Amino acid sequence: MEPMSATHIKEQNYGADWGDFVSFTQHMKHKAGNLGVDLFKIYGERYLTSNVQILNNSTGQFEYIGNKYRYFTTAHGLRIMAFGVLFDFTGNSNVSKVIKAASLVKESWFLDAINYPAPIDLFLVIGHNPVRTTASTSTFGIIYKTIRGLRPNIPIQAFGGHTHVRDFAVYDAMSTGLESGRYCETVGWLSMSGINSSTFNGNLKPRGVPNPTQPAFNATATNSTASKNTTSSIVYQRRYLDFNRLTFAYHAVGSQASTFDYHSGERVTDLITSDRRELNLTALYGCAPETYCQYCKPFGADGNIFPLLATALAATVINESRADVPRLIIINTGSVRFDLVKGPFTFDDSFIVSPFADGFQFIPDVPYKFASQVLGILNAGPFQKKRRDLEARDLGFTHLTGEVCPEGIGQHNHKSLKRRAEPLTRGMHRRQTATLTPGYVTKDDFGTDGDDTVHSRIPNYAQPNDLQANASFPTDGSEPATVDLVFLDFIADEYVIPALRSVGATYSMADVSYYLPKNFTTNSYLPAYAKLAWQANVPNCPVGEGVGFS
């Protein structure tokens, strides 16, 4: 989750904003205090970068951005050693350095922190890093093995991310990892009890709330490292909360009516609303007539986003000096980052769906016999890694001028919370609803009961590496002799040129130039299309229910 986020204000399951989350954490903080237990909000006020450094221009030396580690004692006496470890990221600039985990665990300061002279009750490992150690990018396994090898009897708790899933992984009888979804869709909740500490002075079994009961063993595997008959005293409970106000209010005692909002939360919501207006993020381009998803429908099916994008590309990616020349336009599906929901399509939606600033390049007058083979070669070839980390050039957007959504369209209404039908309850009970709505259906090492709100499963279909749009082709259905082959600069050198050469063409990057000005990018064509094709019902756009609804 990212601070000061407006999140998914047009989706009912995930429509809270960061101000709502601030109010929620305030409620839970007071609740924890009343129960006599500790509540951790990961990162919180301390920033840990155990393996990330930045160049100090004054000294020419690399320095840690934050603290390498933190040893602290909680309000109720737990003594914790914490590290913050980024996965082995290689896409950083030359003014920053990411120390690989294999090197980190050999550094003297890291080993000294593990063998800290003061007592440690719990190791806490957090960071942008998958908790599932079998994930190709995860380095938590290296960190875990190093700590466990030196301190075999101290529990280890990891909180991770990066793979955009809800997951809970069991490492051993007193070590687990929690990962909490993607893009502010999820608040991860983990409860632990039974940590062996001589200084803990809190309540071991608070009354009136469910207490954790699950030992750390993999309930879904037969060869779990941790046995069901473990002698460890530590027990756990985990929950994945949908990021919406009703969920927050349900778990905040006594807050189901108008008492949910704290002034601190309302101030954050007001700041978000003000900043969105100042950045013109509510500028209205048109009304999306349907909901289009990346994965919930088969490629090419109604409701799949990629046929829409092909149509939009054909209609907007036009070099006016060559508008009558037949063209094939290829983009990688990884340039799309999220779904597009029915309703007002605004400036911020253009970043939600496709935030990257990839320009459109081309090779003119390519024989059709070569150009027509490129898409198939790309889709049969190696996966073109989805860029999950925005580059500096992708953040250089400027304020727009134009129509702003009327008051209430695309805005978060933090006064609209209605009282739930359920009676007031205490504790982290799993929410039940009479009618299941589409959403997360999670299976992790503890089983299938982690989702706080029970949902019907949203299908997940594989999508190809790339998609193609055709434009200005002969109206009689015949094939053109040559075409302008248009593609993204992101895939030009590594994928498109090799594909052409593999079928006998002799092109190189010397033959490539920009088809459109560099400032018309993958972030530009959907807004341009919305202005052309989605003007019905403006400004009163009908709003859909969200992804997965029929």
Side-chain angles (χ1 to χ4, degrees), residues 325-330 361-362 368 370-374 468-471 473 483-487:
V325 179
R327 59 193 179 276
L328 297 177
I329 307 165
I330 296 175
Q361 294 181 324
F362 85 122
Y368 185 72
F370 295 145
S372 61
Q373 298 184 65
V374 171
Q468 177 176 281
N470 302 353
F473 268 46
V483 296
D484 284 350
L485 182 61
V486 184
F487 42 83

Side-chain angles (χ1 to χ4, degrees), residues 334-522:
S335 66
V336 178
R337 198 172 178 92
F338 204 68
D339 310 308
L340 192 164
V341 297
K342 178 180 179 179
F345 183 77
T346 54
F347 185 32
D348 61 344
D349 289 305
S350 70
F351 291 97
I352 291 169
V353 176
S354 183
F356 305 114
D358 297 326
F360 290 90
Q361 294 181 324
F362 85 122
I363 301 174
D365 304 319
V366 177
Y368 185 72
K369 66 178 182 180
F370 295 145
S372 61
Q373 298 184 65
V374 171
L375 179 67
I377 294 169
L378 297 184
N379 281 334
F383 179 63
Q384 297 160 22
K385 184 179 180 183
K386 294 183 179 181
R387 294 200 329 205
R388 297 194 182 278
D389 297 277
L390 299 178
E391 297 178 358
R393 66 172 184 160
D394 294 315
L395 302 178
F397 65 88
T398 56
H399 295 198
L400 287 185
T401 57
E403 183 179 1
V404 177
C405 282
E407 186 71 25
I409 294 183
Q411 299 291 335
H412 171 74
N413 181 0
H414 65 275
K415 299 296 186 183
S416 63
L417 180 64
K418 296 180 179 179
R419 187 179 180 90
R420 290 183 54 85
E422 292 94 331
L424 298 182
T425 59
R426 292 175 61 84
M428 195 55 64
H429 296 278
R430 194 180 192 199
R431 295 180 61 212
Q432 302 287 341
T433 56
T435 302
L436 298 185
T437 58
Y440 277 97
V441 178
T442 307
K443 181 179 181 181
D444 58 24
D445 282 1
F446 268 15
T448 59
D449 63 346
D451 294 312
D452 178 63
T453 300
V454 182
H455 290 293
S456 59
R457 183 181 299 276
I458 297 176
N460 189 302
Y461 293 95
Q463 306 294 326
N465 292 341
D466 297 88
L467 68 96
Q468 177 176 281
N470 302 353
S472 298
F473 268 46
T475 57
D476 61 4
S478 63
E479 295 180 351
T482 62
V483 296
D484 284 350
L485 182 61
V486 184
F487 42 83
L488 300 183
D489 52 13
F490 175 63
I491 61 174
D493 191 17
E494 189 173 353
Y495 298 103
V496 175
I497 294 298
L500 285 167
R501 296 180 71 87
S502 74
V503 295
T506 58
Y507 296 107
S508 70
M509 285 300 294
D511 301 298
V512 175
S513 60
Y514 275 90
Y515 183 73
L516 291 172
K518 291 183 181 180
N519 62 355
F520 189 94
T521 71
T522 45

